[in-house]
Amino acid sequence: MKNRFDLIIFDWDGTLIDSIDWIARCLQHAANDTRHPTPDYQSAKDVIGLSIEKAIAALFPEANEDEIHGLVERYEKAYFSKKISREDLFAGVYDMLNALKQNGYQLAVATGKTREGLDEALSATGTVDLFSITRCADETQSKPHPKMLEEIMTVLDVSPERVLMVGDSTHDLQMALNAGIASVGVASGSHDIDQLLHYKPLHCLSNPAELRWHFINE
């Protein structure tokens, strides 16, 4: 893949940071706290990557607007009760991002997180300066709509054939297909390799840090 891409866009949760278990548990906690049926663990994982409102609506299809709002509030209270640090990034990810940037690649984030959540995570992990641009679900369309990728490409003036999306969920790879860009799946988060392969990624990696060796001669 060397020399094929100028811009690499990463999902955040489950792709760069080991947070899927915590998010799934917080979704289950929100259900318990509001006396809704508790989703099973895989069902909670399956909606990660969507905006939190869409994720809650998918998990609790019978919930009305007020109930969804209450579930979101309970989820966010639980989620933000845990402080993260650079140690929460997957092993090798911070060095990989630095190496990619130093080798001339532009880096970006496209995430289902809120802007508040992503800004806190970037600050806590010391990764703010590694990314040229970031987009969150609460400031554009939720995955798998391609709008957040399209906005990133427009701002950075990079054509789709020079862009790669890296993600751990089917929502990430479907978004890439919808935007007409290539993708790489990482089986470190929501979905396994067999599920990701249905969305025609160039590669499926076990660990996100493996991406480094596809781009940098060392």
Side-chain angles (χ1 to χ4, degrees), residues 163-179:
V163 181
L164 180 71
M165 176 72 205
V166 182
D168 69 293
S169 77
T170 59
H171 311 300
D172 299 320
L173 303 196
Q174 181 63 63
M175 178 175 65
L177 284 174
N178 292 344

Side-chain angles (χ1 to χ4, degrees), residues 7-12 16 101 105-111 115 118-119 122 127-136 139-140 147-158 163:
L7 169 62
I8 306 173
I9 304 175
F10 293 92
D11 170 56
W12 183 259
L16 297 178
K101 186 175 177 67
Y105 293 98
Q106 291 195 84
L107 308 180
V109 172
T111 176
R115 172 51 61 187
L118 181 63
D119 284 350
L122 292 171
T127 53
V128 175
D129 294 335
L130 295 176
F131 300 105
S132 300
I133 188 174
T134 60
R135 278 292 183 273
C136 300
E139 58 196 11
T140 184
K147 187 174 181 181
M148 67 171 73
L149 298 183
E150 293 166 350
E151 289 177 348
I152 289 170
M153 290 187 286
T154 296
V155 171
L156 297 180
D157 192 25
V158 182
V163 181

Side-chain angles (χ1 to χ4, degrees), residues 42 45-46 168-171 186-187 189-193 195-196:
Q42 186 58 52
K45 287 175 62 177
D46 284 343
D168 69 293
S169 77
T170 59
H171 311 300
V186 290
S190 295
H191 296 125
D192 62 29
I193 287 177
Q195 292 170 293
L196 296 173

